[in-house]
Amino acid sequence: MARGVRTAAALLALALALTSMLRQRALAARQEQMAAWLASAGVPAPRELPYEPDPGRVDLRAARAVLAAELDPARRQELPHLEPAGENEPGAPRLAAATRLAGAVLAERPAAWDAAMVLGTATYLSLLRARDTRLFSAAASWERPLETAISLAPGRPDAARLLAGAYLELWLELSPHKRQRERQLLSGLFADPAYFSALIGPWLAAAASRDEALSVIPPNPELWTRLQQLYAQHGDWQGFCAARARWDRTLQAHLAVRLGEAEQQRAGGRGRDLFLEVASEARPGRRYLTLLNRALEDCPPGSVDRRTAERLAKQLTWSLERCSLDRCPLSPRALRRLAGFCRDLDPRTDAMAAVLTGDLPRAEALERNYATPGSEDWIPFRLLEAKELAARGRGREAAAALAGFPASWLARPTYWLVRGAAARATGDAAAEAAAGRELARLEKREWPSTAWDFRGGVARLELLAAAGASGLALTVDVAPPHGAAVEVRLDDSTLGAFPVTSGALLALPAAVAPGPHLLELESLAGGPCLPGAVRLAAGDGGGREPN
């Protein structure tokens, strides 16, 4: 009895071994067969092919390789524009074979998402290239497998991208329902920068309007930046400006979320990198001031890397200029923290920061060591120094700091505003009255193109409005022949981005109060632009507040 059991067990083991050996031989034969088929089709065999565990997976791997080759833009460019070729089209036999292989695998394995994806895509391509009317009349033959693949593998965007690409090729023929489905697919896919790059061009060409095109872009500042670049490459300045406005709003919302995360992590001694991210990525201007102040005030002290320091230095430069022209936009604590984070500053900027953080001796030492006699480079520092001295009641020192200013600065309202403050600090009524007369002389309702000056590639106009107005009218004297996009800022507010051509007149709605203002124009894309005459718009000072 025992011998019989052992004999049966041995026979069973032998049978299993033979079965396993036969399966391995069949698998190896199928691998060789598929590799030979791929070679005959001019398609490199995938490296994974010898490691697939069964013939079905081998077939599917080969079918995917054929499909990838047919979709490769280097192998076949602009597929929808091929001439009709029917079954004589070079890729038709390969696609037909891939369709059969994927269909057979899917029949045996209904949960094989990649089999459904290959089946749907290969069927679609075959019908598209043959200009077969079944592409529309029997659309379910390719749509249903792709929808199945999406539902079987919701975390894998491959099938969604292929279906979205197919719908884009057929956009004009789609029903309203399928167009809505396409918008949903794109909205999900565009969250991946790689898919965004692959599909954004065809989508912009297919969308019926710019509003429709922009409606599917996720709230990711990086994507809106790339969209601006794409519009600029095509010289679509209206599109560029629309994308920039959305980028601005998206960036603000994104940084608000990041600041909230930083504040939550701060209790655990973390979040410093997030605070620095918010502070360095916030745009200069009123809309971002709350975020910038909170990020700087709450960020733990310490050193920062060079790239972050360079980006923060731009915030510092803007803040120092606002302090010189009007009031400081940042709190004293935030300003001190910002100045502390910056390093390798040029001496003039360093000295201005020292003035505003209360270190006048250091500021004066920097001026003595680095200022060149007769140079105008340090005039902004001296003006800021005089303003701070006057605010502290040290009028005589302020007046001394203002001595010897170049004639060009005597035409700027900021000089006479500080001059008047210095006179008040010393009780010199005559000097204060003289400053008042000069300010009255500088009050205007319009300014010529020669009133602009330039700093760091940005056109700047210090103006003293004689009355309130509902906005400004700005002429662009020179723009590139193909047009450009510019951004206009008033004081600490961004009025927006605008497409311009030479001679364009920009109507800038913004409440302009009587008194001093700084107007800036910066070329964003397309090439340099030169601003021309500016005048106050008709009105009594009404109009919306700038952002």
Side-chain angles (χ1 to χ4, degrees), residues 223-236:
L223 299 182
W224 287 102
T225 297
R226 294 172 69 172
L227 189 58
Q228 291 176 69
Q229 295 168 348
L230 187 61
Y231 277 128
Q233 289 169 7
H234 290 84
D236 184 346

Side-chain angles (χ1 to χ4, degrees), residues 123-204:
T123 303
Y124 165 77
L125 285 178
S126 296
L127 296 173
L128 175 70
R129 294 180 183 178
R131 296 299 188 262
D132 193 321
T133 58
R134 288 177 296 172
L135 183 67
F136 305 103
S137 62
S141 65
W142 56 271
E143 286 180 323
R144 191 170 297 150
L146 286 171
E147 292 283 5
T148 298
I150 293 171
S151 63
L152 288 173
R156 300 289 297 268
D158 311 58
R161 180 196 172 182
L162 290 167
L163 182 58
Y167 279 157
L168 282 176
E169 304 291 1
L170 307 175
W171 181 257
L172 295 177
E173 311 298 330
L174 295 183
S175 66
H177 172 73
K178 288 184 179 179
R179 289 191 178 193
Q180 180 57 30
R181 173 62 173 143
E182 169 72 338
R183 285 188 282 267
Q184 293 172 352
L185 285 170
L186 290 173
S187 183
L189 287 169
F190 280 167
D192 185 322
Y195 288 134
F196 179 86
S197 297
L199 295 173
I200 186 60
W203 167 239
L204 293 179

Side-chain angles (χ1 to χ4, degrees), residues 289-307:
L289 274 181
T290 300
L291 293 172
L292 182 58
N293 264 301
R294 284 168 54 190
L296 290 170
E297 288 181 351
D298 294 343
C299 183
S303 61
V304 300
D305 61 86
R306 181 173 298 279
R307 182 170 180 271

Side-chain angles (χ1 to χ4, degrees), residues 376 379 405-413 415-416 453 462:
E376 292 191 25
I379 294 297
F405 266 46
S408 60
W409 279 80
L410 303 187
R412 301 191 186 196
Y415 172 82
W416 293 105
D453 65 76
E462 287 188 30

